[in-house]
Amino acid sequence: MIALRAANTDDCDLLFNWVNQPDSLRNKSRTTGPIPYNAHTEWYSQALHNSQYYLWIIEENREAAGQMRFSPQPEGFEVDIYIAGAFRKRNLAVTALSMGVREVCGAHAGKTLIAYIKEDNLASRKLFERAGFSLLQDANPLKVYRLTIDKGED
Protein backbone atom coordinates (compact mmCIF):
# COMPACT_ATOMS: atom_id res chain seq x y z
CA MET A 1 0.00 0.00 0.00
CA ILE A 2 1.28 3.46 -0.94
CA ALA A 3 0.72 6.33 1.47
CA LEU A 4 1.84 9.90 2.01
CA ARG A 5 2.61 11.03 5.53
CA ALA A 6 3.64 14.47 6.63
CA ALA A 7 7.36 14.69 7.23
CA ASN A 8 8.40 15.39 10.81
CA THR A 9 11.58 16.28 12.68
CA ASP A 10 12.62 12.61 12.81
CA ASP A 11 12.88 12.53 8.99
CA CYS A 12 15.56 15.22 8.68
CA ASP A 13 18.51 12.84 8.41
CA LEU A 14 16.66 10.54 6.01
CA LEU A 15 15.98 13.41 3.63
CA PHE A 16 19.56 14.63 4.01
CA ASN A 17 20.79 11.20 2.95
CA TRP A 18 18.42 11.10 -0.03
CA VAL A 19 19.20 14.61 -1.27
CA ASN A 20 22.91 13.82 -1.35
CA GLN A 21 22.60 10.51 -3.20
CA PRO A 22 24.53 10.65 -6.51
CA ASP A 23 21.37 10.01 -8.56
CA SER A 24 19.52 12.77 -6.70
CA LEU A 25 22.32 15.28 -7.19
CA ARG A 26 22.64 14.35 -10.86
CA ASN A 27 18.95 15.11 -11.46
CA LYS A 28 18.57 18.26 -9.36
CA SER A 29 17.49 21.25 -11.41
CA ARG A 30 19.44 23.85 -9.41
CA THR A 31 21.87 22.10 -7.05
CA THR A 32 25.20 21.06 -8.50
CA GLY A 33 26.98 19.56 -5.50
CA PRO A 34 26.38 17.95 -2.12
CA ILE A 35 24.27 19.96 0.29
CA PRO A 36 25.97 20.71 3.63
CA TYR A 37 24.18 19.36 6.70
CA ASN A 38 23.73 22.79 8.33
CA ALA A 39 22.13 24.20 5.16
CA HIS A 40 19.83 21.17 4.98
CA THR A 41 18.72 21.42 8.62
CA GLU A 42 18.01 25.15 8.23
CA TRP A 43 15.91 24.53 5.09
CA TYR A 44 14.19 21.57 6.74
CA SER A 45 13.19 23.52 9.82
CA GLN A 46 11.78 26.36 7.69
CA ALA A 47 9.82 23.89 5.54
CA LEU A 48 8.30 22.15 8.55
CA HIS A 49 7.21 25.45 10.09
CA ASN A 50 5.65 26.87 6.91
CA SER A 51 1.95 26.01 6.81
CA GLN A 52 1.90 26.51 3.02
CA TYR A 53 4.73 24.00 2.43
CA TYR A 54 3.74 20.40 1.74
CA LEU A 55 6.50 17.93 2.58
CA TRP A 56 5.65 14.25 2.55
CA ILE A 57 7.38 10.95 3.04
CA ILE A 58 6.19 8.45 0.45
CA GLU A 59 5.71 5.08 2.09
CA GLU A 60 5.18 1.64 0.65
CA ASN A 61 3.78 -0.76 3.24
CA ARG A 62 4.84 1.71 5.98
CA GLU A 63 8.45 1.78 4.79
CA ALA A 64 9.94 5.12 3.72
CA ALA A 65 10.38 4.95 -0.06
CA GLY A 66 10.85 8.57 -1.07
CA GLN A 67 9.92 12.19 -0.53
CA MET A 68 7.70 14.68 -2.28
CA ARG A 69 7.34 18.38 -1.71
CA PHE A 70 5.15 21.15 -2.97
CA SER A 71 7.06 24.40 -2.27
CA PRO A 72 4.98 27.58 -2.25
CA GLN A 73 5.64 29.99 -5.11
CA PRO A 74 3.75 33.17 -6.10
CA GLU A 75 1.79 31.34 -8.83
CA GLY A 76 1.22 28.12 -6.87
CA PHE A 77 3.70 25.38 -5.98
CA GLU A 78 6.94 23.92 -7.29
CA VAL A 79 6.84 20.12 -7.18
CA ASP A 80 9.81 17.88 -6.42
CA ILE A 81 9.79 14.12 -5.95
CA TYR A 82 12.45 11.52 -5.16
CA ILE A 83 12.06 7.76 -4.97
CA ALA A 84 14.86 5.75 -3.34
CA GLY A 85 16.59 3.33 -5.71
CA ALA A 86 15.25 0.16 -4.08
CA PHE A 87 11.66 1.33 -4.66
CA ARG A 88 11.83 2.39 -8.30
CA LYS A 89 9.95 0.77 -11.18
CA ARG A 90 6.90 0.07 -8.99
CA ASN A 91 4.72 3.00 -10.11
CA LEU A 92 5.17 4.58 -6.67
CA ALA A 93 6.04 7.98 -8.11
CA VAL A 94 2.99 8.42 -10.33
CA THR A 95 0.68 7.17 -7.59
CA ALA A 96 2.27 9.42 -4.97
CA LEU A 97 2.27 12.43 -7.30
CA SER A 98 -1.42 11.92 -8.08
CA MET A 99 -2.16 11.63 -4.36
CA GLY A 100 -0.26 14.86 -3.65
CA VAL A 101 -2.07 16.75 -6.41
CA ARG A 102 -5.45 15.60 -5.00
CA GLU A 103 -4.38 16.64 -1.49
CA VAL A 104 -3.46 20.16 -2.59
CA CYS A 105 -6.45 20.65 -4.91
CA GLY A 106 -9.10 21.44 -2.31
CA ALA A 107 -7.29 24.29 -0.64
CA HIS A 108 -5.60 25.72 -3.73
CA ALA A 109 -8.01 25.60 -6.68
CA GLY A 110 -6.86 27.74 -9.57
CA LYS A 111 -3.19 27.57 -8.55
CA THR A 112 -0.45 26.21 -10.80
CA LEU A 113 1.93 23.35 -10.08
CA ILE A 114 5.35 23.64 -11.72
CA ALA A 115 8.15 21.10 -12.08
CA TYR A 116 11.64 21.93 -13.36
CA ILE A 117 13.21 18.83 -14.89
CA LYS A 118 16.58 18.36 -16.53
CA GLU A 119 16.31 17.56 -20.19
CA ASP A 120 18.09 14.22 -19.83
CA ASN A 121 15.94 13.05 -16.89
CA LEU A 122 13.55 11.04 -19.05
CA ALA A 123 12.01 9.11 -16.14
CA SER A 124 10.87 12.33 -14.42
CA ARG A 125 9.63 13.85 -17.65
CA LYS A 126 7.50 10.75 -18.32
CA LEU A 127 6.28 10.75 -14.71
CA PHE A 128 4.97 14.31 -14.87
CA GLU A 129 3.42 13.75 -18.28
CA ARG A 130 1.63 10.63 -16.96
CA ALA A 131 0.35 12.69 -14.02
CA GLY A 132 -1.26 15.22 -16.39
CA PHE A 133 1.41 17.93 -16.46
CA SER A 134 2.12 19.54 -19.82
CA LEU A 135 5.34 20.98 -21.16
CA LEU A 136 5.25 24.73 -20.62
CA GLN A 137 8.80 25.68 -21.59
CA ASP A 138 11.51 23.78 -23.38
CA ALA A 139 14.62 25.64 -22.24
CA ASN A 140 17.95 23.83 -22.28
CA PRO A 141 18.97 22.29 -19.91
CA LEU A 142 15.60 22.46 -18.09
CA LYS A 143 12.13 21.58 -19.17
CA VAL A 144 9.30 23.25 -17.28
CA TYR A 145 6.11 21.27 -16.74
CA ARG A 146 2.84 22.76 -15.53
CA LEU A 147 -0.48 21.59 -14.17
CA THR A 148 -3.21 24.06 -13.24
CA ILE A 149 -5.47 22.90 -10.44
CA ASP A 150 -9.02 23.20 -11.73
CA LYS A 151 -11.57 24.88 -9.52
CA GLY A 152 -13.92 21.91 -9.89
CA GLU A 153 -11.36 19.14 -9.24
CA ASP A 154 -11.78 17.00 -6.12
Side-chain angles (χ1 to χ4, degrees):
M1 182 173 99
I2 300 169
L4 298 180
R5 73 164 171 80
N8 60 53
T9 55
D10 294 337
D11 298 312
C12 185
D13 288 348
L14 174 65
L15 269 70
F16 177 72
N17 180 42
W18 281 340
V19 77
N20 283 308
Q21 290 295 309
D23 63 328
S24 177
L25 291 170
R26 184 173 45 254
N27 289 316
K28 290 288 179 210
S29 60
R30 294 183 189 95
T31 307
T32 57
I35 296 172
Y37 189 71
N38 62 338
H40 172 75
T41 57
E42 184 177 320
W43 164 83
Y44 195 76
S45 178
Q46 289 175 0
L48 288 184
H49 291 95
N50 181 342
S51 63
Q52 294 298 304
Y53 202 110
Y54 294 86
L55 179 59
W56 292 292
I57 301 299
I58 301 164
E59 295 183 328
E60 182 182 49
N61 300 320
R62 296 186 171 208
E63 187 176 355
Q67 69 84 27
M68 181 171 56
R69 58 188 160 93
F70 286 50
S71 310
Q73 304 295 315
E75 71 282 355
F77 296 89
E78 180 179 341
V79 183
D80 179 79
I81 189 167
Y82 176 79
I83 302 295
F87 293 91
R88 293 187 187 143
K89 300 198 185 291
R90 300 184 192 183
N91 288 321
L92 289 176
V94 73
T95 301
L97 183 54
S98 296
M99 291 169 73
V101 168
R102 280 194 306 273
E103 180 78 22
V104 171
C105 279
H108 302 285
K111 294 286 187 176
T112 299
L113 304 179
I114 297 286
Y116 298 93
I117 304 170
K118 282 189 174 175
E119 185 174 30
D120 62 352
N121 188 347
L122 297 177
S124 287
R125 290 173 50 198
K126 288 179 183 178
L127 162 66
F128 281 89
E129 289 168 2
R130 284 181 59 199
F133 285 68
S134 54
L135 184 62
L136 173 66
Q137 187 176 3
D138 190 354
N140 194 2
L142 295 178
K143 301 223 183 256
V144 182
Y145 285 83
R146 174 180 69 186
L147 177 70
T148 300
I149 303 171
D150 293 330
K151 294 186 188 292
E153 203 168 331
D154 336 301

